[in-house]
Amino acid sequence: MPTSPSRSASPSALATLDKVAARTPAGVTLFHNLSLTFGPERTGVVGRNGAGKSTLLRLISGDLSPAEGVVTRVGTIGVLDQRGEPAPDETVARTLGVGEALAVIERVLAGEGEAEDLATADWTLELRIAEILAEVGLADIAMDRATISLSGGEQTRLGLAGLLLARPDLILLDEPTNHLDVEARRLIAEVLDRWDGGAVVVSHDRDLLRSMDRIVEVSGLGVTVYGGNYDLFAERKATERAAAERDLAGAERTAARVGADAQRRAEMKARRDAAGRRKGAKGDMPKILIGARAERAENSGAGDRQLAARQAAEAEAALASARERVERTRALSIPMPSSGLASGRTLLVLDDATWEAPQGRSVVGPVSLRLTGPERVAITGPNGAGKTTLLRLIHGALEPTTGRVERPSRAVLLDQEAAILKPDETVVEAWRRLNPEGSINDAQAALARFLFRNVAAHREVGELSGGERLRAALACVMTGTKPPQLLILDEPTNHLDLDSVAAVEVALRAYDGALIVVSHDADFLDAIGIERTIAL
C-alpha cells in the first residue's frame, strides 16, 4: 500500500506548463500564457463549468496539445478514466490493466508456459491486486467479471485501483466522487491522503478539496494559484469579493466626481465667456484687448477640455477594471418566489409504504413519513438503497406496492439531469409547456429573473451546462401561477460547479416551501438547513 506522503516546500516538477494557451474547437481562448508546475503535492482544480478544467488535465496528460507553449513531463502519469459505459466484453482484469500479466501466471501454473512466461511472471501480482482491491472497497471481486456489470461507483473505484497498481508518479482525477455515496467518497479521500506521488484533482466536492495542498482556479480571466486547502481558498475568495465590491463603489464615486467637476468647469467657462461678450458689446474696450482675452479664454477652454477628457478616460478605465473584477467574483443569484405554504399544511403522508420490483424484489420500505409545513428532510443511504425509488414514490411517478401514500399538495421532482426539461426544446418553449396558461411575455419576464434574458432564453436545453439546466428548471417550475409548495431534489449538485452550488444553496435557503433532498454532499445539506434525516 502507498505510504504516507511527505510534503516538500519546493517539490520537483512532474509536469510543467510554460506559456501555454488552450482554445476550444470553435477558437475561443480558455487561457493563455499559462506557466504552472505540478509536483508531488495534491492540487485541487476548481472553476465554472466550461472554464477549461478538464482541458487542463488533458494538457498535463498529453492527450491534448497546447495551442501555444510547451508542456514538459517527468516520470509517468496516470489518468482515472471516466469513459462512461465500458465495452460488454471488458473484464475487471482488463480494466485494472493486469489481464495479460494474470494470463502469464495461469499458463505457468497450468504447465503451458514458455521460457518467456517463466521470466516475466510476477508472483507478487495477485497479492498486490488483493490488497489494493480491499483498499478501494472491492475485496473478493472476480477478475473475469464483466466491468459493465458493476455500478458507476464501483467502476470508479476499480479505475482508482488500476492507478494504484500502476504506481504512476502523477495521477489525474476528473470529478472522482461524482455519483458516489458517502462511504465511497470517504474511501477516495483516504486513498488520496495516503498517495505519496503527485495528484491533480478536478472536483466540486468541498470535503475532498479540503484535503488538497493547494487550489488552482481556472476562470475566463486566467488561472490563479491559492496555497492551502478549500477552506483557505474560500476565505481568500470572500476577501477578494468584498475588496472588489469596495473598489467598484470607489470607482463609481470617482467617475461621478470627475463628471461633476467637468460639468462645473464647463459652466464656469460659459459664464466667463458670456460676461466677456457682454463687456465687448459695450464698445469701451480696445479691439486688441478683446482679441487677447478671447485667445486666452479659448486656450483655457481647450486646456480644461483636455484635462476633463483625460480624467474621464482614466475614471472610465478604472471603473471598467473594477466592474470586471466584480463580475469575476460575483456569485450567481437565483431568485425564489414565495410558495405561499402555510405552516400547518400537510404536504405528504406515507404510511408503511413499500415498492417492489416486478420480479417481487423489495426495493424500498416500509417507510412512514408525514411532512407538515416548510420542513426540510434529507434521505440518505448507500448507492442501491432505494433513495431515488422513494423519491419517485413520494412524487407520484410510482404507486406503492403496499401501504399508503397521500399527496395533497403539488410537488415537483428535479433530478441531477433536470429531466423535466426536454433536450431539443428551448428554455422559453420549456417554460410555456410547463406553464400553459402563461403568455410569451410572461415566459420572457419570468426567465429574465433567472438570468435567461433575450437570446439566452432561446437556447436549447441540450446546450446548457448542468448549472444552467437546473437554473432553467427552477425558473420553469417556480415562476408559474402556482409555484410548488414541495420541491423534491435528487442529487441536484452532481454536475454543478462550485459557484452554481453556492447559488443553489442560497436559493433553497430562501425558499419558503418544503424540501425533500437526496444528496451525498454533507456541506450542501447543512447549507440548505436540513432539519431531519431518513436513513435507508
Side-chain angles (χ1 to χ4, degrees):
M1 287 188 180
T3 56
S4 297
S6 58
R7 306 297 173 195
S8 170
S10 55
S12 57
L14 298 171
T16 301
L17 284 70
D18 184 20
K19 298 180 180 178
V20 164
R23 300 185 180 94
T24 67
V28 177
T29 298
L30 295 173
F31 42 79
H32 70 281
N33 200 31
L34 172 61
S35 294
L36 197 59
T37 61
F38 297 90
E41 76 269 282
R42 294 162 296 185
T43 299
V45 181
V46 302
R48 293 184 177 178
N49 290 338
K53 304 186 296 297
S54 296
T55 298
L56 179 60
L57 290 193
R58 294 180 65 203
L59 288 168
I60 297 170
S61 69
D63 184 49
L64 179 69
S65 298
E68 298 170 15
V70 178
V71 180
T72 305
R73 305 168 191 87
V74 177
T76 56
I77 295 178
V79 180
L80 181 61
D81 192 359
Q82 304 267 44
R83 297 169 297 171
E85 195 167 282
D89 61 345
E90 182 170 339
T91 64
V92 166
R94 181 178 165 190
T95 302
L96 287 172
V98 296
E100 182 54 36
L102 289 176
V104 168
I105 295 173
E106 288 178 7
R107 287 197 297 269
V108 172
L109 292 177
E112 300 170 355
E114 299 179 358
E116 184 179 352
D117 291 334
L118 288 170
T120 59
D122 181 355
W123 299 105
T124 68
L125 179 60
E126 291 179 311
L127 177 60
R128 287 189 288 114
I129 290 173
E131 289 177 340
I132 287 173
L133 286 176
E135 185 178 354
V136 300
L138 293 175
D140 301 324
I141 192 170
M143 290 294 102
D144 60 353
R145 180 173 174 179
T147 302
I148 198 172
S149 70
L150 303 176
S151 69
E154 288 171 329
Q155 289 181 31
T156 298
R157 296 194 217 180
L158 189 63
L160 186 60
L163 283 183
L164 296 177
L165 274 171
R167 299 291 302 159
D169 299 292
L170 178 66
I171 58 174
L172 310 178
L173 292 79
D174 195 351
E175 297 290 1
T177 60
N178 257 12
H179 308 292
L180 299 188
D181 58 32
V182 173
E183 179 61 23
R185 286 178 175 226
R186 181 191 59 76
L187 185 146
I188 295 284
E190 289 178 352
V191 168
L192 268 176
D193 191 51
R194 291 191 295 267
W195 180 251
D196 58 357
V200 183
V201 184
V202 170
S203 182
H204 66 264
D205 182 338
R206 287 164 286 189
D207 200 43
L208 182 63
L209 291 171
R210 289 188 180 100
S211 67
M212 298 293 107
D213 299 310
R214 64 174 183 166
I215 301 293
V216 170
E217 182 187 30
V218 182
S219 75
L221 297 181
V223 175
T224 308
V225 180
Y226 296 83
N229 66 8
Y230 172 78
D231 288 334
L232 291 173
F233 160 76
E235 183 179 335
R236 176 77 178 274
K237 289 293 291 181
T239 300
E240 289 179 355
R241 186 174 294 118
E245 295 283 359
R246 287 195 301 272
D247 290 347
L248 176 59
E252 289 173 338
R253 288 193 297 271
T254 299
R257 187 184 69 248
V258 167
D261 288 347
Q263 179 66 26
R264 186 169 57 255
R265 285 195 296 268
E267 291 172 354
M268 290 175 61
K269 181 180 182 304
R271 287 195 294 271
R272 288 197 303 269
D273 291 348
R277 286 192 296 272
R278 289 193 298 272
K279 184 76 171 174
K282 292 180 179 180
D284 59 353
M285 183 181 297
K287 290 185 177 180
I288 189 171
L289 185 55
I290 293 174
R293 285 192 173 186
E295 183 177 358
R296 284 198 304 273
E298 181 61 31
N299 291 337
S300 174
D304 284 347
R305 287 193 296 272
Q306 290 175 355
L307 175 63
R310 186 174 71 252
Q311 289 178 334
E314 291 173 351
E316 188 59 36
L319 184 58
S321 176
R323 282 177 178 153
E324 185 178 51
R325 286 184 59 208
V326 167
E327 283 302 312
R328 180 183 179 183
T329 59
R330 178 172 285 164
L332 174 68
S333 176
I334 301 177
M336 293 291 275
S338 174
S339 68
L341 175 60
S343 60
R345 178 175 173 77
T346 297
L347 299 173
L348 175 71
V349 176
L350 277 74
D351 186 11
D352 286 334
T354 70
W355 190 82
E356 296 178 357
Q359 311 91 316
R361 180 176 61 89
S362 177
V363 176
V364 67
V367 176
S368 294
L369 168 66
R370 177 179 290 271
L371 193 68
T372 303
E375 290 190 82
R376 291 165 182 246
V377 178
I379 298 174
T380 65
N383 289 340
K387 300 186 296 297
T388 296
T389 300
L390 179 56
L391 292 191
R392 296 182 68 202
L393 196 62
I394 290 170
H395 177 246
L398 296 174
E399 291 300 328
T401 305
T402 63
R404 180 174 60 97
V405 179
E406 293 182 9
R407 311 176 187 93
S409 182
R410 175 173 173 255
V412 169
L413 171 61
L414 297 180
D415 60 15
Q416 56 191 285
E417 305 294 344
I420 195 172
L421 309 178
K422 298 178 180 179
D424 59 349
E425 67 184 350
T426 66
V427 181
V428 161
E429 290 168 346
W431 192 95
R432 298 202 69 190
R433 175 175 58 82
L434 295 168
N435 301 280
E437 72 286 353
S439 67
I440 184 68
N441 289 335
D442 294 333
Q444 290 173 335
L447 293 172
R449 293 166 55 198
F450 282 72
L451 303 186
F452 289 102
R453 300 186 181 95
N454 302 320
V455 295
H458 295 277
R459 291 175 63 191
E460 286 194 353
V461 170
E463 299 174 353
L464 303 179
S465 69
E468 289 170 330
R469 278 199 306 274
L470 183 59
R471 178 156 47 94
L474 286 170
C476 289
V477 302
M478 293 302 302
T479 57
T481 55
K482 292 182 179 180
Q485 296 183 330
L486 171 59
L487 278 180
I488 305 168
L489 305 173
D490 190 2
E491 293 289 359
T493 65
N494 247 7
H495 299 299
L496 305 190
D497 56 49
L498 286 168
D499 287 338
S500 297
V501 171
V504 172
E505 287 174 348
V506 172
L508 294 180
R509 199 160 52 235
Y511 175 55
D512 63 1
L515 293 174
I516 296 179
V517 184
V518 165
S519 176
H520 297 303
D521 186 340
D523 288 280
F524 176 73
L525 295 176
D526 183 61
I528 65 175
I530 291 298
E531 299 162 327
R532 57 175 166 146
T533 299
I534 297 174
L536 300 184

